[in-house]
């Protein structure tokens, strides 16, 4: 069954490529009133303080670990391994 499915999908992909080969190319015209959508917004500063970035990178995985512990009711060994893994991932190598 999986070989038949793969064969049908490959035929559909080839047919789609064949169809798009004969389409007329087009040039997109951007109207002046929508030009602002494509400009990068002006930003005063694109830097995030180091402490905030560390807090985000440390607390987000910790929150996921806690939520999974509550939902799946995992044992202490798995939680300990997850916390140690997070600690090793966020530890500064310097």
């Amino acid at each position: 069954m999986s070989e038949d499915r793969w064969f049908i999908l490959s035929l559909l992909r080839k047919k789609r490529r064949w169809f798009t080969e004969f389409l007329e190319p087009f040039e997109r015209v951007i109207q002046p009133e929508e030009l602002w959508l494509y400009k990068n917004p002006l930003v005063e500063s694109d830097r995030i303080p180091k402490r905030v970035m560390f807090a985000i990178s440390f607390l987000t995985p910790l929150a996921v670990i806690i939520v999974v512990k509550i939902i799946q009711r995992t044992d202490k060994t798995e939680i300990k391994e997850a916390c140690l893994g997070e600690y090793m991932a966020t530890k500064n190598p310097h």
Side-chain angles (χ1 to χ4, degrees):
M1 175 96 177
S2 64
E3 291 179 20
D4 294 336
R5 186 180 295 167
W6 180 83
F7 180 71
I8 291 170
L9 287 175
S10 65
L11 284 178
L12 288 174
R13 285 187 198 126
K14 288 178 184 177
K15 189 169 186 166
R16 186 177 57 204
R17 280 191 221 134
W18 177 81
F19 175 74
T20 57
E21 286 291 321
F22 298 105
L23 289 176
E24 272 300 309
F26 69 95
E27 183 176 325
R28 172 141 188 199
V29 178
I30 300 173
Q31 302 298 324
E33 55 268 4
E34 67 176 338
L35 188 62
W36 67 273
L37 292 169
Y38 299 100
K39 291 183 179 178
N40 290 329
L42 295 176
V43 178
E44 292 179 18
S45 175
D46 62 345
R47 296 179 183 255
I48 298 175
K50 191 186 325 182
R51 291 179 189 229
V52 173
M53 183 62 84
F54 179 77
I56 291 170
S57 68
F58 184 75
L59 294 177
T60 302
L62 192 62
V64 170
I65 291 170
I66 292 170
V67 168
V68 169
K69 179 190 182 328
I70 292 170
I71 292 173
Q72 294 186 352
R73 296 187 177 138
T74 56
D75 61 345
K76 291 181 181 180
T77 306
E78 291 181 7
I79 299 302
K80 180 180 176 183
E81 291 171 355
C83 290
L84 289 173
E86 185 210 354
Y87 171 74
M88 294 298 287
T90 57
K91 185 178 176 187
N92 190 355
H94 298 292

